[in-house]
C-alpha cells in the first residue's frame, strides 16, 4: 500500500516538473470574430423522441422470431464411434470439454449398490497415473482448473474446465489419471462418510420424503431404484470399487462437447491424438443391461405420517416415452393447466383466488429412455389439503371439457417456443445439449420440428390430452403430512417411512 502511494506521488511530482521545465508554446494569433448571422439549423435534424405510452399495456415490441440452432454446423466425426460438437467462443480464455461414454452402471446385486454409487466419485478423487490425490488437487488448483468424473445408469462422463493456455496439458493430465486410476483408500473413506451422511439425512425434509413416496407408489421394483443402507456404505472396500469400475471409459460409443476459446481445426487434431491414446481395458464380464422402469399402476391416495403444518402433495400418472405424438399437445395442455406460473389456471384458482398455496404447478415428463409421468404438485395447509385437491380436479375437468381460450392457447405456444433460446445461452450449454441429444437419438432437425409441433397444437388436442393424461382415476396422490388431520381426504393408505426404500 505504501509503495503504491509513493509511486503515485513521484509520478505526479515528475509530471509537474516536466511541465514546468517545458518551453512555453507561442500564443496563437487571435482569430477574428465573425459578424455573420447565426446559421440556420439543418433542415433534416434528428427526429423527435417518440412520446412515452400512457400505459405499459401500450408498449409494442417487435415480433420475436425464433431461429432454431442447427447441430450439424458444429458436429465433428473423429472416428468410428467417436463424434462430438465444437462451439468456439474466443471472447474469454476459457475451455470446457465434456466427454460422454455410452455405458451402463447397474449393480448386479443389492450388495454391490453401495460401491456402485461411489465409482463415479472415486475415478477422479482416487487420482492415478502415478499421481497422488494431494498432488492432483494441488496441480489443478495452481492453474485454476477442474477435472471431474461421473457414472450413471446409461452414461459415464469426464468434465474438464480450464484456461485455454492449459487445455493441452489438461488433456494429458486427464489421460494419465483416468486411464490408470488408483482408488486411494483415504479418499474412499471421505467418499463413504459423505454417502453415509446423505443416507442418514435422506428424510430430513418433507420434500425428500415426498420424492421417495412418489417413487415407491408408482414404480415396480427395479435394480435401477435400489437403495443401499448406511451400514452397506460403511463396508465398501477399495477392492469393491475397483471391481465395479472395470471398463468404465472403455465404451465403443463416445460423444464429446467442446466449447470456448479453441480453434476448430486445431481442436480436431488434438482430440484425434487424445482419443487415439485413450486406452482403457474393457470389463472382464458384460455389465447388466438397464431395464426400463415399469409402473405398479395402483391409483389411490398414499400418505406418510409426518407432523408438519403444510401438506406436501404430488399427483402423478404414467405418461409417454419420447418420441411420441402425444408429447407436444400434452406439454401445451400442462402449460395452460399449471406450467405457466401466474398465467396458469391452477395458480390463479388455488393461489390467487383461494389463497391455499404459495406454489402449485403441473408438468409433462420429458424422457427418451423410460415412460415419464405427468405431475401436479403443491403445498398447502394440512387442514385445506382436501379442498385444494378438489379445486385441482375441478380445473382439470374444466379444461378437458371446454378446452383453452384462444388467448390461452396462443400464449402457451408462444411461451414454450420462446423458452427454447435459454437452452443455448452459452457455448458450453449448446455443445453439451447437442452431445446429449445425439446420444438420445434426436434428429438433427429436432429444434425446428419442436417449434412446428408446438405451433400445430389445437384446442381439441389440449382437451383430449388433459382428459387422457390428467385422469383422476389413473392417478396416485402422494401426501406427506399428519395422518390425524387428513381424514377429510377419504380413504387412503398409510405408508410407513421405513418402507420407502427399494431393496
Amino acid at each position: 500500500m505504501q509503495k503504491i502511494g509513493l509511486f503515485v506521488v513521484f509520478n505526479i511530482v515528475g509530471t509537474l516538473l516536466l511541465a514546468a521545465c517545458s518551453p512555453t508554446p507561442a500564443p496563437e494569433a487571435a482569430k477574428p470574430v465573425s459578424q455573420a448571422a447565426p446559421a440556420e439549423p439543418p433542415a433534416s435534424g434528428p427526429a423527435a423522441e417518440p412520446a412515452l405510452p400512457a400505459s405499459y399495456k401500450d408498449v409494442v415490441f417487435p415480433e420475436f422470431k425464433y431461429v432454431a440452432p442447427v447441430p450439424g454446423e458444429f458436429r465433428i466425426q473423429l472416428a468410428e464411434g467417436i463424434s462430438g460438437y465444437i462451439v468456439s467462443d474466443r471472447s474469454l480464455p476459457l475451455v470446457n470439454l465434456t466427454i460422454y461414454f455410452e455405458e451402463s452402471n447397474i449393480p448386479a446385486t443389492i450388495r454391490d449398490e453401495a460401491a456402485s454409487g461411489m465409482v463415479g466419485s472415486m475415478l477422479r478423487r482416487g487420482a492415478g497415473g502415478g499421481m497422488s490425490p494431494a498432488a492432483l488437487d494441488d496441480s489443478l488448483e495452481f492453474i485454476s482448473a477442474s477435472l471431474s468424473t461421473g457414472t450413471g445408469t446409461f452414461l459415464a462422463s469426464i468434465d474438464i474446465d480450464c484456461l485455454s493456455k492449459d487445455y493441452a496439458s489438461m488433456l494429458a493430465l486427464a489421460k494419465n489419471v483416468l486411464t490408470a486410476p488408483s482408488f486411494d483408500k483415504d479418499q474412499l473413506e471421505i467418499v463413504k462418510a459423505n454417502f453415509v451422511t446423505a443416507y442418514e439425512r435422506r428424510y430430513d425434509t418433507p420434500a425428500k420424503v415426498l420424492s421417495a413416496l412418489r417413487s415407491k407408489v408408482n414404480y415396480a421394483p427395479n435394480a435401477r431404484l435400489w437403495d443401499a443402507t448406511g451400514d452397506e456404505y460403511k463396508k465398501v472396500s477399495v477392492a469393491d470399487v475397483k471391481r465395479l469400475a472395470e471398463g468404465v471409459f472403455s465404451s465403443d460409443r463416445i460423444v464429446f462437447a467442446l466449447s470456448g476459446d479453441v480453434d476448430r481445426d486445431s481442436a480436431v487434431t488434438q482430440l484425434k491424438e487424445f482419443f487415439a491414446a485413450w486406452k482403457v481395458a474393457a470389463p472382464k464380464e458384460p455389465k447388466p443391461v438397464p431395464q426400463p422402469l415399469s409402473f405398479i399402476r395402483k391409483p389411490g391416495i398414499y400418505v406418510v405420517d409426518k407432523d408438519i403444518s403444510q401438506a406436501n402433495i404430488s399427483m402423478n400418472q404414467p405418461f409417454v416415452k419420447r418420441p411420441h405424438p402425444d408429447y407436444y399437445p400434452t406439454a401445451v395442455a400442462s402449460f395452460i393447466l399449471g406450467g405457466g406460473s401466474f398465467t396458469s389456471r391452477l395458480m390463479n384458482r388455488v393461489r390467487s383466488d383461494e389463497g391455499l398455496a404459495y406454489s402449485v404447478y403441473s408438468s409433462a415428463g420429458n424422457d427418451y429412455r423410460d415412460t415419464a409421468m405427468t405431475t401436479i404438485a403443491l403445498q398447502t395447509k394440512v387442514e385445506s389439503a382436501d379442498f385444494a385437491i378438489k379445486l385441482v380436479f375441478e380445473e382439470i375437468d374444466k379444461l378437458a371439457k371446454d378446452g383453452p381460450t384462444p388467448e390461452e392457447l396462443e400464449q402457451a405456444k408462444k411461451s414454450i417456443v420462446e423458452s427454447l433460446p435459454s437452452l443455448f445461452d452459452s457455448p458450453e450449454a449448446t455443445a453439451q445439449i447437442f452431445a446429449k441429444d445425439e446420444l438420445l437419438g434426436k434428429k438433427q432437425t429436432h429444434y425446428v420440428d419442436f417449434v412446428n409441433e408446438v405451433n400445430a397444437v389445437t384446442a381439441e388436442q389440449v382437451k383430449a390430452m388433459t382428459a387422457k393424461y390428467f385422469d383422476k382415476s389413473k392417478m396416485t396422490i402422494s401426501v406427506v403430512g399428519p395422518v390425524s388431520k387428513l381424514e377429510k381426504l377419504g380413504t387412503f393408505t398409510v405408508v410407513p417411512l421405513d418402507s420407502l426404500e427399494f431393496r
Side-chain angles (χ1 to χ4, degrees):
M1 190 74 181
Q2 291 177 346
K3 290 181 179 178
I4 293 174
L6 288 172
F7 178 80
V8 172
V9 170
F10 287 144
N11 269 283
I12 293 173
V13 173
T15 302
L16 292 174
L17 289 172
L18 183 62
C21 296
S22 299
T24 304
E28 292 184 1
K31 296 181 180 179
V33 179
S34 173
Q35 299 298 319
E40 292 289 331
S44 56
E49 295 262 348
L52 289 174
S55 167
Y56 71 90
K57 295 179 181 179
D58 299 327
V59 177
V60 178
F61 296 96
E63 182 182 357
F64 174 79
K65 293 189 180 297
Y66 173 66
V67 180
V70 181
E73 295 177 1
F74 306 96
R75 190 176 186 276
I76 297 291
Q77 185 76 41
L78 290 182
E80 183 68 28
I82 304 176
S83 59
Y85 297 82
I86 300 177
V87 182
S88 295
D89 178 10
R90 314 308 291 269
S91 60
L92 291 172
L94 303 173
V95 175
N96 172 264
L97 173 65
T98 304
I99 308 171
Y100 301 101
F101 299 80
E102 192 171 51
E103 51 198 21
S104 62
N105 181 44
I106 304 295
T109 65
I110 290 183
R111 181 179 175 182
D112 284 342
E113 166 59 21
S116 179
M118 298 181 188
V119 169
S121 298
M122 285 303 298
L123 283 164
R124 152 64 179 90
R125 293 195 60 157
M131 182 175 285
S132 70
L136 177 58
D137 290 340
D138 288 345
S139 298
L140 293 173
E141 183 177 355
F142 183 75
I143 60 173
S144 299
S146 70
L147 171 65
S148 59
T149 55
T151 55
T153 301
F154 302 99
L155 302 172
S157 64
I158 298 169
D159 190 84
I160 295 171
D161 276 296
C162 63
L163 295 171
S164 51
K165 68 182 181 62
D166 300 314
Y167 173 56
S169 60
M170 281 297 296
L171 286 178
L173 178 67
K175 181 181 73 67
N176 290 337
V177 170
L178 300 178
T179 57
S182 63
F183 304 106
D184 180 83
K185 64 179 182 179
D186 293 332
Q187 290 295 315
L188 178 59
E189 292 304 314
I190 296 173
V191 171
K192 286 164 59 174
N194 291 337
F195 272 78
V196 171
T197 299
Y199 174 79
E200 292 171 346
R201 303 185 64 175
R202 68 198 183 283
Y203 300 139
D204 273 7
T205 65
K208 291 181 180 179
V209 177
L210 182 64
S211 177
L213 174 62
R214 181 172 55 234
S215 294
K216 191 68 175 181
V217 301
N218 281 289
Y219 292 120
N222 188 302
R224 291 166 53 188
L225 301 173
W226 285 344
D227 296 298
T229 65
D231 288 338
E232 288 167 336
Y233 286 129
K234 293 175 183 178
K235 293 176 182 177
V236 173
S237 67
V238 169
D240 293 329
V241 177
K242 187 178 293 187
R243 172 172 52 85
L244 292 171
E246 287 181 356
V248 175
F249 305 144
S250 65
S251 172
D252 290 333
R253 190 182 184 205
I254 301 170
V255 181
F256 64 86
L258 175 62
S259 60
D261 184 20
V262 293
D263 173 75
R264 182 185 176 98
D265 293 336
S266 299
V268 169
T269 301
Q270 285 178 304
L271 287 169
K272 284 182 177 180
E273 295 173 354
F274 174 75
F275 286 115
W278 186 266
K279 305 295 182 184
V280 175
K284 296 184 178 73
E285 297 181 7
K287 294 185 177 183
V289 177
Q291 297 301 310
L293 298 179
S294 59
F295 291 88
I296 299 174
R297 297 184 186 273
K298 290 186 177 180
I301 302 176
Y302 299 86
V303 179
V304 167
D305 188 17
K306 193 172 181 64
D307 187 17
I308 51 179
S309 59
Q310 293 275 316
N312 287 241
I313 303 168
S314 181
M315 307 160 71
N316 300 92
Q317 178 184 340
F319 182 35
V320 298
K321 176 184 175 182
R322 295 191 67 188
H324 194 284
D326 286 354
Y327 173 76
Y328 293 102
T330 307
V332 174
S334 176
F335 187 94
I336 295 168
L337 181 64
S341 188
F342 286 96
T343 66
S344 72
R345 293 192 176 193
L346 291 180
M347 183 67 87
N348 283 321
R349 182 76 188 280
V350 179
R351 171 176 165 151
S352 301
D353 295 348
E354 301 293 342
L356 297 181
Y358 178 78
S359 173
V360 54
Y361 69 88
S362 65
S363 65
N366 175 15
D367 201 325
Y368 278 76
R369 298 191 187 273
D370 292 293
T371 299
M373 292 191 291
T374 55
T375 299
I376 297 173
L378 69 150
Q379 293 181 24
T380 186
K381 290 185 299 184
V382 173
E383 293 78 9
S384 60
D386 62 311
F387 185 43
I389 292 173
K390 176 176 175 291
L391 294 180
V392 167
F393 285 125
E394 285 181 2
E395 291 305 314
I396 291 173
D397 291 342
K398 286 180 185 177
L399 187 58
K401 179 182 177 182
D402 302 328
T405 66
E407 294 77 17
E408 284 179 317
L409 184 59
E410 180 184 0
Q411 180 62 37
K413 293 179 182 181
K414 182 179 179 182
S415 297
I416 292 172
V417 170
E418 291 185 4
S419 70
L420 283 180
S422 65
L423 299 176
F424 308 97
D425 61 358
S426 70
E428 180 178 336
T430 301
Q432 290 180 359
I433 286 175
F434 289 159
K436 291 176 182 177
D437 286 352
E438 181 165 328
L439 288 162
L440 291 173
K442 293 184 183 180
K443 295 189 294 184
Q444 291 283 303
T445 58
H446 173 77
Y447 294 101
V448 175
D449 299 339
F450 186 102
V451 174
N452 294 335
E453 292 283 358
V454 169
N455 285 330
V457 173
T458 66
E460 287 302 315
Q461 286 179 308
V462 169
K463 290 168 59 175
M465 296 301 103
T466 302
K468 184 176 182 179
Y469 293 113
F470 293 94
D471 184 347
K472 179 180 179 179
S473 67
K474 297 178 182 178
M475 279 188 174
T476 61
I477 302 178
S478 304
V479 183
V480 177
V483 169
S484 61
K485 298 180 180 179
L486 293 171
E487 60 274 359
K488 291 182 182 178
L489 289 179
T491 303
F492 56 79
T493 301
V494 178
V495 181
L497 186 64
D498 59 6
S499 70
L500 296 181
E501 295 169 353
F502 286 88
R503 301 290 294 169

